[in-house]
Amino acid sequence: MWGASTASYQVEGGNARSAFWDWEVKKGWERSGDAARSWELFEKDLSCLKALNLNAYRFSVEWSRIEPEPGRFDEGALARYAGWARRLKEEGLRPFVCFHHFSEPAWLLRGHPKGWLDPEVRVRFLAFVEKTASALKDAVEDWIVFNEPMVFLVSGYGMGHFPPGRWMFTDIHKEFNPVLVKNFCRAHNEAYELLHRLQAEANVGIAHHISALEPAAPGDEKAVADWDWFMHRHFLDLTKDHMDFMGINYYTRIFVHKSRVPFLPMGVVPGYAEFEQGVTPFVFRLLGGRRGGRPRTGMNWEVFPEGLGDVVRQFWADYQKPICITENGMASAPGVDRGDFLRSHLESLAQAIRAGADVRGYFHWSLMDNYEWGSYKPKFGLFSRDRRPSQGSEYYAGVAKNGVL
Ligand code: BGC
């Protein structure tokens, strides 16, 4: 499958009932506003997908639209999403529907301020999944329960970056892993069972954020293994028996260092670009941070195509689940060509396939420029927000048509 991915909050616009809407104000973020207006312009999105010769599209449904108040479901919203799925099928594209791409209704967190620490939230989520899947199942068989569960939990509950804005990172082994991650995994597993009860042919997975990890210095191998467990494997180990395919979102490589500050979690200071940007270069080096030498995208993420093949080989060998690349892409940056980025990442993926990995599809992030959780500056799109093709789209359209890199 050749596809592209989007997420409801990032493209639809006007999602005023999401917890992110007021959060943007609270955090002083750029407002998401109308985003790419996909709620109204789905047919234009479909034209973009067709111009790229794609045969699959991954989008997410917005919980706060479908259930605007607790227990009240909006049949109009459900019908609209079901209509999108039908149109995709009519045009020869396979819809992959994601239930949870970071955004949740504001009412959920008002009623349950502890969020996913509260088991009631899981029950609410499952009711939303059941209602939505029942409305869409005539046109959809491919489901993604959670997008990047660990990124969501670390952002919302680890470091206060997403709603509900909790700071639990310093005592990660207390409530974070044993309660929060477990509740989330249980929600995934129950959603899996539910979807299979509703639909015999359901194909259910997740979109898991997996980075290539390397030790920042000799002696950091244990720190790498800890981080790999925490960010990648813990969730997979608890859900692998409830997964028909493993979606991988791959972007870059990260250098991991054992911590030089006792209060930091897991004993690691990862070489994330975000972390690097948040401290002075002196502090970054002092804490053991290391950056790779390759060109960087608009997110300051290092372009590291080999990592995609490595990650695929590794996770195929360890979990033996059919793999889909559910996200991979770059924010535009001077001197980094999206066509080259695509070619090098697809070559790396092809090598993993030749080595025996069962890879079913590649979904580029993203179909069009969108709201990058706080800013419109990073431009990930194969199209602009007004649906003009951007750099790399011609190349990708050729690959999708001919299967030749
Ligand atoms: C997320 C997207 C995000 C992208 C680029 C992924 O972590 O799923 O929502 O836009 O990366 O940052």
Side-chain angles (χ1 to χ4, degrees):
M1 284 173 287
W2 295 108
S5 294
T6 59
S8 57
Y9 196 81
Q10 295 179 267
V11 296
E12 284 179 358
N15 274 318
R17 289 173 188 269
S18 161
F20 271 98
W21 193 259
D22 289 343
W23 188 255
E24 294 171 8
V25 179
K26 192 172 159 188
K27 285 284 190 184
W29 288 358
E30 185 177 352
R31 298 305 314 269
S32 58
D34 287 342
R37 296 181 54 217
S38 290
W39 186 245
E40 272 87 38
L41 301 181
F42 174 76
E43 283 296 326
K44 283 206 190 305
D45 294 352
L46 186 51
S47 306
C48 295
L49 293 160
K50 291 191 66 180
L52 292 168
N53 304 313
L54 302 183
N55 57 15
Y57 180 45
R58 171 188 167 213
F59 64 96
S60 77
V61 288
E62 180 64 30
W63 185 354
S64 63
R65 276 193 200 277
I66 290 178
E67 193 177 1
E69 288 160 29
R72 182 174 76 76
F73 291 92
D74 182 333
E75 297 299 334
L78 285 167
R80 187 171 305 206
Y81 286 125
W84 292 2
R86 267 197 309 277
R87 286 289 295 126
L88 286 162
K89 280 211 144 158
E90 278 165 20
E91 300 292 341
L93 287 105
R94 192 162 152 182
F96 274 64
V97 171
C98 177
F99 290 103
H100 188 286
H101 195 124
F102 302 161
S103 173
E104 295 171 342
W107 59 255
L108 183 77
L109 296 174
R110 270 198 302 272
H112 307 278
K114 292 181 80 184
W116 286 87
L117 286 160
D118 177 347
E120 183 62 23
V121 166
R122 193 190 86 250
V123 176
R124 290 245 162 236
F125 176 67
L126 291 165
F128 152 70
V129 170
E130 177 158 21
K131 189 76 188 171
T132 305
S134 307
L136 270 64
K137 72 179 166 55
D138 289 344
V140 180
E141 281 149 31
D142 301 294
W143 311 97
I144 291 171
V145 180
F146 288 122
N147 177 68
E148 302 194 341
M150 293 311 297
V151 171
F152 172 74
L153 294 178
V154 166
S155 302
Y157 298 78
M159 40 185 233
H161 182 58
F162 282 178
R166 291 176 81 97
W167 252 100
M168 295 170 59
F169 222 19
T170 40
D171 61 1
I172 214 105
H173 296 296
K174 263 169 79 192
E175 270 192 302
F176 192 95
N177 279 335
V179 181
L180 190 62
V181 176
K182 283 227 171 107
N183 276 347
F184 224 58
C185 290
R186 189 167 163 199
H188 170 92
N189 292 345
E190 290 176 2
Y192 176 94
E193 305 264 334
L194 173 71
L195 290 163
H196 278 278
R197 265 201 312 277
L198 286 175
Q199 189 185 46
E201 63 281 20
N203 182 39
V204 183
I206 59 161
H208 203 34
H209 187 92
I210 301 186
S211 312
L213 301 180
E214 287 185 32
D220 286 332
E221 292 74 14
K222 163 86 169 62
V224 169
D226 287 350
W227 195 250
D228 185 35
W229 177 81
F230 173 66
M231 280 302 280
H232 303 153
R233 292 170 192 268
H234 186 198
F235 192 91
L236 294 175
D237 290 345
L238 295 173
T239 55
K240 62 178 189 294
D241 298 331
H242 295 81
M243 207 176 274
D244 302 314
F245 70 95
M246 187 190 294
I248 294 179
N249 296 358
Y250 173 81
Y251 285 95
T252 189
R253 83 168 147 179
I254 286 156
F255 291 95
V256 185
H257 198 298
K258 58 179 165 294
S259 181
R260 295 179 182 176
V261 272
F263 58 84
L264 274 167
M266 310 290 305
V268 294
V269 176
Y272 285 96
E274 290 76 1
F275 175 71
E276 184 184 344
Q277 281 163 317
V279 295
T280 64
F282 173 73
V283 173
F284 184 67
R285 275 197 308 276
L286 189 77
L287 293 175
R290 183 178 149 197
R291 50 156 38 207
R294 306 283 183 81
R296 301 200 152 222
T297 68
M299 297 294 274
N300 207 20
W301 295 343
E302 191 190 19
V303 179
F304 191 66
E306 305 88 306
L308 176 59
D310 289 347
V311 155
V312 166
R313 264 191 297 271
Q314 242 175 56
F315 283 80
W316 163 250
D318 294 348
Y319 291 92
Q320 299 281 306
K321 298 282 174 191
I323 287 175
C324 243
I325 304 307
T326 34
E327 285 181 30
N328 170 241
M330 55 164 275
S332 311
V336 190
D337 184 279
R338 189 175 285 103
D340 292 345
F341 180 98
L342 266 156
R343 185 184 295 107
S344 56
H345 283 77
L346 291 173
E347 275 166 1
S348 174
L349 185 60
Q351 278 174 22
I353 294 171
R354 283 195 290 273
D358 179 0
V359 179
R360 305 285 170 92
Y362 173 90
F363 291 68
H364 194 74
W365 183 274
S366 179
L367 180 59
M368 63 226 147
D369 294 340
N370 56 52
Y371 185 62
E372 180 54 38
W373 311 107
S375 167
Y376 279 109
K377 239 196 225 136
K379 299 209 179 330
F380 276 91
L382 291 160
F383 287 84
S384 62
R385 277 201 281 163
D386 51 11
R387 275 73 173 173
R388 274 196 299 259
S390 20
Q391 191 197 48
S393 57
E394 210 176 308
Y395 171 74
Y396 193 41
V399 172
K401 188 168 182 196
N402 308 315
V404 179
L405 304 185

